[in-house]
């Protein structure tokens, strides 16, 4: 089996962080905060978070912070949104620097986006999506402020997005998709509500995502993509069905998507690499306990040692206890 070219991936991530005007940087311009989370978490999984200066990252992040509403934008001068606020909170948690936040105000911003039916809007413009339910619940849990929302209504809304195939969609009646399943199962795990999941039914749907090439797709009849190694595997772990996947074949698929010369991982073999797929490829390997990588918590999408630090000192993460 081809080995993970870890050093090359570290170099690649560090080079992307520095570049400001190539194609990848321009494409990522509006979601640079998410890019920071993907890149920095990859470095941490590879034991190389020390290669970046936290003060430099944090001072840029705080320029993306909106003093008026207390949410984070995807880049300097961009509007605030739950998607970027969660990434900001996750990056601060990685650096153990949540102290730079006004936690009451940020959590008020997040809680203020809950709607009467329990769902969450991503920002003031009102679109709802179970991705935003996850962002809000994960963020408030990391900040120890879940009491600011109606958790029961939030859970009931997520359950209303469950389908007959056992999966979950973005809104009630929306098609089951592995990405949305991660969000719904993750939010249910964090809130201790996994009893709403039919583990065998969902586990069957999820393990059917593995295709002949060993990779996973996000829904039936779609192409495999390295990123589903995270969305599908994390969900399978949370419902205790990860042994239904052929791990060796999936590991081989991910390793075949590496750029072995310049570092980085792509969606499928021989395609161009990017930070998103590099993170989710390394994350998938970490979930399969690939040697030398830090362990990731499947619900919080943060290294287990970071989650332990947030909640318990050195004990196990709550997402793992809740299942
Ligand atoms: C902290 C890990 C973490 C996540 C935050 C934003 C979010 C919460 C979750 C996103 C979940 C999601 C919907 C992932 C799917 C991303 C993706 C590859 C979408 C592509 O969709 P299509 O329809 O692709 O273009 P398919 O593969 O279905 O053809």
């Amino acid at each position: 089996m081809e080995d993970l070219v870890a050093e090359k991936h570290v170099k690649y991530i560090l080079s992307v962080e520095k570049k400001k005007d190539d194609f990848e940087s321009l494409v990522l311009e509006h979601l640079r905060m998410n890019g920071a989370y993907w890149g920095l978490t990859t470095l941490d999984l590879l034991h190389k978070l020390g290669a970046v200066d936290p003060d430099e990252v944090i001072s840029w992040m705080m320029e993306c912070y909106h003093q008026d509403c207390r949410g984070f934008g995807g880049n300097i001068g961009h509007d605030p949104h739950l998607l970027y606020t969660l990434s900001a909170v996750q990056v601060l948690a990685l650096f153990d620097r949540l102290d730079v936040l006004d936690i009451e105000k940020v959590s008020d911003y997040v809680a203020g986006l809950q709607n009467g039916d329990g769902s969450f809007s991503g920002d003031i413009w009102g679109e709802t999506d179970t991705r935003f339910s996850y962002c809000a619940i994960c963020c408030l849990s990391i900040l120890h402020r879940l009491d600011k929302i109606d958790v029961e209504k939030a859970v009931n809304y997520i359950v209303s997005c469950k389908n007959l195939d056992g999966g979950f969609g973005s809104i009630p009646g929306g098609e089951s998709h592995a990405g949305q399943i991660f969000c719904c199962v993750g939010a249910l795990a964090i809130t201790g509500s996994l009893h709403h999941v039919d583990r065998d039914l969902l586990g069957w749907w999820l393990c059917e995502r593995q295709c002949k090439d060993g990779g996973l797709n996000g829904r039936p009849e779609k192409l495999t993509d390295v990123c589903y190694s995270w969305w599908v595997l994390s969900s399978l772990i949370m419902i205790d069905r990860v042994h239904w996947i052929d791990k060796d074949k999936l590991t081989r698929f991910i390793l075949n998507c590496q750029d072995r010369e310049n570092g980085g991982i792509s969606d499928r073999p021989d395609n161009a690499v990017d930070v998103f797929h590099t993170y989710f490829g390394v994350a998938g390997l970490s979930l399969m306990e690939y040697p030398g990588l830090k362990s990731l918590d499947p619900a919080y999408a943060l290294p287990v040692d970071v989650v332990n630090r947030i909640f318990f000192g050195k004990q196990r993460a709550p997402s793992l206890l809740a299942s």
Side-chain angles (χ1 to χ4, degrees):
M1 197 181 286
E2 281 187 284
D3 288 334
L4 181 70
V5 292
E7 291 289 316
K8 296 264 172 72
H9 297 322
V10 170
K11 269 198 194 141
Y12 164 73
I13 297 284
L14 293 174
S15 75
V16 172
E17 203 212 342
K18 290 198 171 58
K19 278 187 243 160
K20 297 273 185 290
D21 51 7
D22 68 340
F23 178 72
E24 187 173 356
S25 308
L26 293 175
V27 171
L28 279 179
E29 153 91 14
H30 65 295
L31 23 98
R32 207 166 160 76
M33 188 66 77
N34 297 143
Y37 158 72
W38 301 328
L40 293 166
T41 311
T42 308
L43 289 181
D44 200 20
L45 292 177
L46 296 168
H47 306 275
K48 287 289 186 313
L49 189 58
V52 291
D53 175 2
D55 291 334
E56 208 178 294
V57 180
I58 292 169
S59 89
W60 168 77
M61 282 176 58
M62 294 318 283
E63 285 192 67
C64 302
Y65 179 61
H66 289 255
Q67 291 288 348
D68 47 351
C69 73
R70 314 297 176 159
F72 284 84
N75 207 334
I76 299 171
H78 290 224
D79 289 346
H81 197 287
L82 273 183
L83 288 168
Y84 313 121
T85 303
L86 172 62
S87 285
V89 166
Q90 286 174 311
V91 169
L92 291 173
L94 275 181
F95 286 130
D96 198 13
R97 291 296 307 277
L98 286 166
D99 60 293
V100 304
L101 287 181
D102 184 332
I103 288 178
E104 284 323 315
K105 297 219 160 105
V106 173
S107 50
D108 281 344
Y109 164 74
V110 174
L113 289 166
Q114 188 171 30
N115 302 307
D117 62 358
S119 67
F120 281 84
S121 300
D123 61 11
I124 55 165
W125 304 110
E127 183 197 6
T128 60
D129 187 312
T130 46
R131 282 179 304 155
F132 311 148
S133 299
Y134 171 80
C135 290
I137 286 170
C138 185
C139 205
L140 291 173
S141 176
I142 291 171
L143 299 176
H144 305 285
R145 292 295 185 282
L146 267 178
D147 57 321
K148 287 195 188 246
I149 57 165
D150 188 329
V151 172
E152 194 182 336
K153 270 193 169 180
V155 166
N156 288 341
Y157 179 78
I158 290 168
V159 173
S160 77
C161 298
K162 185 164 71 169
N163 293 318
L164 286 174
D165 57 18
F168 294 82
S170 58
I171 51 172
E175 180 189 2
S176 293
H177 187 286
Q180 306 296 152
I181 291 172
F182 158 77
C183 293
C184 294
V185 173
L188 294 176
I190 291 171
T191 54
S193 313
L194 280 175
H195 53 280
H196 290 291
V197 177
D198 182 333
R199 292 170 189 238
D200 285 342
L201 187 62
L202 177 58
W204 180 248
W205 189 93
L206 286 168
C207 80
E208 288 239 295
R209 306 281 54 79
Q210 188 156 35
C211 300
K212 282 207 177 83
D213 61 7
L216 306 171
N217 63 15
R219 47 190 165 144
E221 306 302 326
K222 291 287 191 159
L223 293 176
T224 49
D225 183 321
V226 156
C227 77
Y228 294 113
S229 313
W230 166 264
W231 310 115
V232 172
L233 276 185
S234 59
S235 304
L236 281 168
I237 290 173
M238 289 187 274
I239 61 168
D240 198 18
R241 297 293 181 275
V242 75
H243 49 287
W244 290 1
I245 285 283
D246 185 331
K247 287 191 194 177
D248 285 347
K249 279 179 88 177
L250 178 56
T251 301
R252 215 169 299 129
F253 174 81
I254 299 173
L255 293 174
N256 279 336
C257 293
Q258 300 180 100
D259 179 335
R260 301 184 63 79
E261 236 169 79
N262 302 310
I265 299 177
S266 54
D267 55 356
R268 286 178 282 283
D270 301 324
N271 282 353
V273 304
D274 60 65
V275 194
F276 175 85
H277 290 95
T278 304
Y279 171 47
F280 288 111
V282 175
L285 293 172
S286 159
L287 291 179
M288 292 188 287
E289 300 174 333
Y290 190 90
L293 297 176
K294 271 196 180 185
S295 304
L296 262 180
D297 182 274
Y300 287 95
L302 282 171
V304 168
D305 61 339
V306 173
V307 177
N308 287 348
R309 187 170 64 211
I310 295 168
F311 294 102
F312 300 122
K314 287 287 171 201
Q315 294 170 41
R316 276 164 67 78
S319 62
L320 299 175
L321 293 174
S323 54

